[in-house]
Amino acid sequence: NFMDCLFCKIINGEIPCTKVYENDKVLSFMDISPMNEGHMLVIPKNHAATILELPEADFLAVMSAVQKIAQAANKALNPDGINILQLNGEAANQVVPHLHVHIVPRWDGDGLTVSQWVPVPGDMEQIGQIAEKVKKAI
């Protein structure tokens, strides 16, 4: 319910935030539980729990802001890299059910394990079958 949504309350000014950027469609603010220095969030002002419900225009506005803010973080903080993370659903570790994109500056040796996995070749026949299922759903 968006009436109880933490991020909707931030958008409405009911809960304070450390604002980084705002326009008519999006709000960006500092994460209060940062993974790393400079960890920020970008959210659409229109409530949508995940990418599956968000209208395309709002998604494009969010991603445009993500790029602008990542470029600014790169200029201001000079990180060695930047993670852009967007989680959908509890199984994907989404905690707040309002779409949000994490911008996480990264430095060599910072100890974070975000996005680290060992690539192991998959079964190409199975990969092809899954691709066909997705293509049919588009």
Side-chain angles (χ1 to χ4, degrees):
N1 181 329
F2 73 92
M3 298 298 288
D4 299 322
C5 175
L6 173 68
F7 288 169
C8 286
K9 288 179 179 181
I10 289 173
I11 291 164
N12 293 331
E14 298 170 50
I15 296 174
C17 72
T18 303
K19 193 180 299 184
V20 174
Y21 177 78
E22 182 175 18
N23 66 27
D24 60 329
K25 290 207 175 282
V26 306
L27 175 64
S28 177
F29 51 94
M30 301 304 292
D31 194 305
I32 62 169
S33 301
M35 275 191 263
N36 229 356
E37 182 179 316
H39 181 174
M40 295 169 275
L41 301 176
V42 179
I43 64 173
K45 288 186 174 179
N46 291 329
H47 180 82
T50 69
I51 195 171
L52 305 175
E53 295 96 36
L54 189 67
E56 183 181 18
D58 289 332
F59 176 75
L60 294 173
V62 166
M63 293 312 291
S64 177
V66 165
Q67 183 183 37
K68 179 188 302 268
I69 295 159
Q71 288 168 336
N74 191 58
K75 184 177 180 181
L77 304 174
N78 195 32
D80 297 315
I82 298 175
N83 283 126
I84 306 297
L85 304 167
Q86 200 279 305
L87 314 174
N88 296 280
E90 287 182 34
N93 290 334
Q94 181 181 15
V95 176
V96 178
H98 182 122
L99 181 130
H100 52 289
V101 178
H102 298 263
I103 299 173
V104 185
R106 299 295 306 275
W107 286 270
D108 292 334
D110 64 17
L112 291 182
T113 57
V114 176
S115 76
Q116 294 180 359
W117 72 91
V118 178
V120 177
D123 176 331
M124 291 309 293
E125 185 177 328
Q126 182 185 28
I127 290 169
Q129 290 169 356
I130 293 167
E132 285 305 313
K133 284 183 184 178
V134 175
K135 285 182 199 177
K136 286 177 185 167
I138 292 175

